[in-house]
Amino acid sequence: MKSIKYLRSHLLWKMFFWFVLLLLLPCLLLLGIYAAANDYHYAQETAKLEHAALTQCMNSIEQDMDSCAESFWMIQRHSNFLRFLNGGYPTVALQLEAYVKEFYNIFSYAKSFSPYIKKVQVYAMRTDLVEIDDSVIYIDQLGEYALDKETTYGYWRYDPDADLLIYRKLINSLYDSTPVGVLEISCLSSLFCDKLGPISESVSRQMYIVYDGNAYFLGDSCLLPGDLPKAGDDDLCLSLVSLPMEIRAGRYLPSTAQRPINILSVIALAGFLVILGCSFLFFFSIYRLSRRIVNFSRYISSALTQLPGTYTDSCHDELGLVVRNFNQMLEQNNDLINQVKLEKLRQNEMAYRVLQAQIDPHFIYNALESMRMMAEMHDDPEVANVIFAFSKLMRYSLSANTAPATVEYELDIVSQYLQVQKIRLGDHLEYEIDCPESLYALDCPQFVLQPLVENAIKYGRCQEHPAIFVKIRLAMEADLLTAVVENTGAELAPEKRLEINRRLAMGQDLSDLSSGTGVGLDSINSRMRYLYPESFQMELLPLSGQGLQVILIWRPAAGGKGDSNENPDC
C-alpha cells in the first residue's frame, strides 16, 4: 500500500508507470503482427485500381460532353445565322430565303458532333423572326432562365423529367457582345449508361449518380431515379467538372465472391483497437495533468493584475502541494496589500485634516465677513469683492467635507482665486476658462484644479517672464473627462519633466523633486489614483513656445452630481 501511495504521489513515477503499462507493453506484444500489412496493401491496391478505372470513365464522359458542347462554336461562328438572329433579314421572305440558301443544314450538322445529341435548339431574343421547325423558336418558350455569368460561359444541367442532359450557352451578336439568343443542346442520358455499365461490371460495384441530392441508377439506356443509398466507408466518389453531379461506386454486388477472412487481419485489428484504447487512456492521463498545470498558470497570470480568490486543487501530488503553498502566500500578500492601502489612505486623510486644522475656520470666516461689510459701508466695492472671493476660497479650503464637488463649483473657486491674483498682479496676469456647460454637473474632487492654477502662477512667473497667461480647458472625450491647465512663462527642464511624468505614472513620491509646500502634484496624483484607479492619468507637457501644461484625465462617476452639500458659503 505504501508503494502504491508513493507512486500515486509523484508525477514522474506516474508518467513512467502509465507509459510502460499502457503504451510500451502493448507495442512490444504487437511487434510480431507484421503480416497485417499484406491485407492493408491489398485493400490499398484494389482501391487505387477502382479509383483509376472510375477516373478514366469520368474523363471519357467529360470528353463526350465537351464534344456535344463543341457544336456551339459552329453556330456561333456562322456569320449569316448570327445576322439572321440579329435582325439582318427584316422580312419573312428574306429570312426564309436565307434559311434555304445559307443555313438550312446547320442544325443537322450540329447533331453529328456526337451520337448522344438528341436535338439542338436556338431560342431567339427577337420576336420578329420566323420560327424554323423546332430549331429556332422564341425565347419565351425557354422557361426560367437568366442572362448571368453562368449562361454567358455555358453550363450543363440534368433534367430528370425528360431524362436529358442539357447544355445552355448565350449566343452573342456578330458585331458586339449583345446577346441575340440562347443555344440549348439536349443529350441522351445513355451517355452515362454506356460508360458506367462496363465499369460497374468490372469492379463488381453498384454505380449510381447523385444530382441535386437525388440518386439515379443505371438502366439499359436511361437513368432510373431511386432512394439515395447510405454511404459506406469504402465508397468511391468523383465529381464531374462540367456538371454538378457525383459518380459514386457504392456497395459490392451480391454476386461478388467474398474473400476469406485473414486471421492476421483480425489480430491486427484487435491489436490496433487495444493500442488505440491504451493510448487514449495514456494521453487522457497526461491531458488531465497538463490541464491542471495550464489552469494554475492562468490563475497565476490573473493574480498579477487583480486579487483572485483561493485556487482549488484536490489532488495530493507535487502540484497540489505547490497550489496549497501558493494560496497561503497569496493570502499573506493580500493582507499586506490591504494594510499598505489602509495606511496610505490614513496618511492622506491625516495630511488633509492637518491642513484644515491649521486655523480655526469660524474665526477666519467671521473676520473676513466683517472686513467685507466695512468695505461696503465705505462704498469700496472692489475691496469688498476681493474679500468675498478670498472668503469663499478660505471656506472651500478649510471645509471638512471631502466628498467630490462638481466641475461648476470647482471652476467657480478657481475663478475666485484668479480674481484675487488679478488684483495682486494687475496686467501681469491674464486668464481664460473654457468649459462647456454640459460638463458643469459632473463630479470633480476638491482641490484638483486650484492647486494646479496656483502652481502655474507661482512657478510660471520669473524675471524674464513677469507677465503670464493661464488657461483652464475641460472637455469630454468618449466617457473620459480631460482637464488641462496651461500657462506661459518659465519652462520646466525636460529631464525633470520626464522624471516627474515617470513617477506620476508609477504613483511614486515627488517630494525630492518639488520645492513647494502644501497640496501639490504629489497629493493630487495620490488622491486621484485612489478615487479613479482604473482611468486616471496625469502628465506634464511643454507648451508650444514657452510654458507648461498639466493634463488630467479621469472617468467621472456615472450620473454623478457632486456633493449634495457642496456650497460652503451656507
Side-chain angles (χ1 to χ4, degrees), residues 336-523:
L336 292 175
I337 292 175
N338 292 333
Q339 292 178 8
V340 171
K341 287 185 176 180
L342 182 60
E343 185 64 26
K344 187 69 174 178
L345 180 61
R346 288 175 178 175
Q347 291 178 1
N348 292 338
E349 187 68 20
M350 184 178 297
Y352 188 74
R353 293 187 178 276
V354 168
L355 176 64
Q356 292 178 333
Q358 290 178 355
I359 304 177
D360 184 6
H362 294 286
F363 170 75
I364 297 177
Y365 299 160
N366 295 335
L368 292 174
E369 183 65 19
S370 298
M371 287 187 287
R372 186 178 70 84
M373 293 179 63
M374 291 177 63
E376 290 183 352
M377 291 174 60
H378 288 80
D379 195 18
D380 195 345
E382 185 176 1
V383 175
N385 291 336
V386 172
I387 295 175
F388 176 77
F390 182 69
S391 175
K392 197 168 185 178
L393 287 173
M394 295 305 296
R395 287 176 182 270
Y396 181 71
S397 62
L398 299 180
S399 174
N401 186 7
T402 60
T406 61
V407 171
E408 179 181 16
Y409 190 75
E410 182 72 8
L411 291 179
D412 181 56
I413 294 301
V414 171
S415 178
Q416 300 294 342
Y417 174 78
L418 289 172
Q419 291 180 19
V420 175
Q421 292 289 357
K422 179 67 175 177
I423 296 298
R424 185 174 70 89
L425 299 177
D427 295 337
H428 288 174
L429 173 63
E430 297 292 337
Y431 64 88
E432 178 185 347
I433 298 177
D434 180 12
C435 177
E437 293 184 1
S438 58
L439 306 182
Y440 282 176
L442 296 180
D443 285 348
C444 181
Q446 298 184 17
F447 275 104
V448 171
L449 300 180
Q450 189 274 334
L452 298 179
V453 175
E454 182 178 350
N455 286 345
I457 298 175
K458 180 178 180 181
Y459 298 108
R461 296 180 69 249
C462 59
Q463 292 181 357
E464 293 81 4
H465 304 282
I468 186 173
F469 175 74
V470 179
K471 184 175 181 180
I472 300 98
R473 295 184 289 110
L474 281 86
M476 197 73 178
E477 298 180 2
D479 59 343
L480 296 176
L481 179 61
T482 301
V484 181
V485 177
E486 59 185 36
N487 64 273
T488 62
E491 292 183 330
L492 188 63
E495 297 80 6
K496 185 176 182 180
R497 176 175 54 79
L498 293 176
E499 179 63 19
I500 291 176
N501 285 335
R502 186 188 68 81
R503 296 195 184 185
L504 289 175
M506 300 295 294
Q508 298 178 355
D509 184 34
L510 300 175
S511 58
D512 59 328
L513 296 177
S514 176
S515 59
T517 59
V519 181
L521 297 178
D522 196 9
S523 178

Side-chain angles (χ1 to χ4, degrees), residues 162-231:
D163 192 27
L164 294 174
L165 288 170
I166 298 175
Y167 177 77
R168 285 181 180 176
K169 189 170 183 180
L170 200 65
I171 300 176
N172 294 323
S173 172
L174 181 63
Y175 310 106
D176 52 28
S177 59
T178 303
V180 295
V182 177
L183 174 68
E184 183 176 272
I185 304 173
S186 301
C187 299
L188 300 174
S189 63
S190 58
L191 184 150
F192 291 106
C193 301
D194 295 345
K195 303 294 182 181
L196 295 177
I199 297 297
S200 177
E201 294 179 0
S202 64
V203 300
S204 299
R205 280 179 177 251
Q206 182 186 38
M207 295 288 181
Y208 62 96
I209 294 173
V210 179
Y211 178 75
D212 198 18
N214 299 316
Y216 300 92
F217 297 88
L218 304 180
D220 293 336
S221 60
C222 62
L223 296 179
L224 304 176
D227 296 332
L228 183 65
K230 185 178 181 180

Side-chain angles (χ1 to χ4, degrees), residues 62-96:
E62 291 279 3
Q63 291 176 2
D64 286 340
M65 293 175 66
D66 292 340
S67 298
C68 295
E70 281 293 326
S71 61
F72 165 82
W73 294 109
M74 183 196 68
I75 296 177
Q76 175 66 54
R77 294 166 182 168
H78 199 293
S79 59
N80 291 328
F81 184 69
L82 292 183
R83 182 183 176 189
F84 168 76
L85 294 179
N86 203 34
Y89 303 98
T91 65
V92 175
L94 291 176
Q95 293 176 14
L96 293 176

Side-chain angles (χ1 to χ4, degrees), residues 32-81:
I33 314 175
Y34 64 91
N38 294 330
D39 186 73
Y40 175 77
H41 178 73
Y42 175 82
Q44 291 293 317
E45 290 299 322
T46 302
K48 288 181 180 179
L49 292 176
E50 292 177 350
H51 188 274
L54 190 59
T55 301
Q56 184 178 3
C57 177
M58 186 192 69
N59 293 334
S60 178
I61 293 174
E62 291 279 3
Q63 291 176 2
D64 286 340
M65 293 175 66
D66 292 340
S67 298
C68 295
E70 281 293 326
S71 61
F72 165 82
W73 294 109
M74 183 196 68
I75 296 177
Q76 175 66 54
R77 294 166 182 168
H78 199 293
S79 59
N80 291 328
F81 184 69

Side-chain angles (χ1 to χ4, degrees), residues 4 13 75 96 118 192 195 213 220 258 281 294 307 321 387 404 452 465 485 508 536 539 567:
I4 295 177
W13 285 109
I75 296 177
L96 293 176
K118 183 178 181 181
F192 291 106
K195 303 294 182 181
D220 293 336
Q258 299 292 332
L281 293 177
V294 169
L307 298 178
L321 179 62
I387 295 175
L452 298 179
H465 304 282
V485 177
Q508 298 178 355
F536 177 71
E539 186 177 10
N567 190 357

